[in-house]
């Protein structure tokens, strides 16, 4: 890993950037590289949880429209 001439995006000119994130194109010093990775991990976990909840909702809704379940709902 080579040093990047830009300053860290988080702490400004205090530290030299050593890592450029390919996703957001920001440059981070050693300290803030780890923090940025942790933030991305948390965001990914949130997205995965939202995906799972949506998938469960779709699954539940598709079973609720099953013809036999619709017959039961009409009967009730």
């Amino acid at each position: 890993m080579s040093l990047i001439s830009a300053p860290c995006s988080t702490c400004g000119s205090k530290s030299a950037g050593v890592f450029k994130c390919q996703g957001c194109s920001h440059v981070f010093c050693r300290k803030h590289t780890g923090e940025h990775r942790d933030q991305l991990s948390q965001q990914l976990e949130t997205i995965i949880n939202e995906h799972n909840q949506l998938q469960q909702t779709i699954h539940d809704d598709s079973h609720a429209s099953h013809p036999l379940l619709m017959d039961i709902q009409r009967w009730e």
Side-chain angles (χ1 to χ4, degrees), residues 27-44:
V27 176
F28 299 97
C29 64
R30 289 189 190 277
K31 174 185 175 188
H32 293 115
T33 295
E35 290 177 7
H36 185 62
R37 184 180 336 119
D38 291 343
Q39 289 172 348
L40 293 175
S41 293
Q42 289 173 355
Q43 289 175 358
L44 179 59

Side-chain angles (χ1 to χ4, degrees), residues 53-72:
Q53 289 174 354
L54 179 59
Q55 195 170 31
Q56 185 63 43
T57 299
I58 291 169
H59 180 267
D60 292 345
D61 287 349
S62 67
H63 279 63
S65 62
H66 189 278
L68 293 176
L69 292 174
M70 292 172 69
D71 287 345
I72 291 170

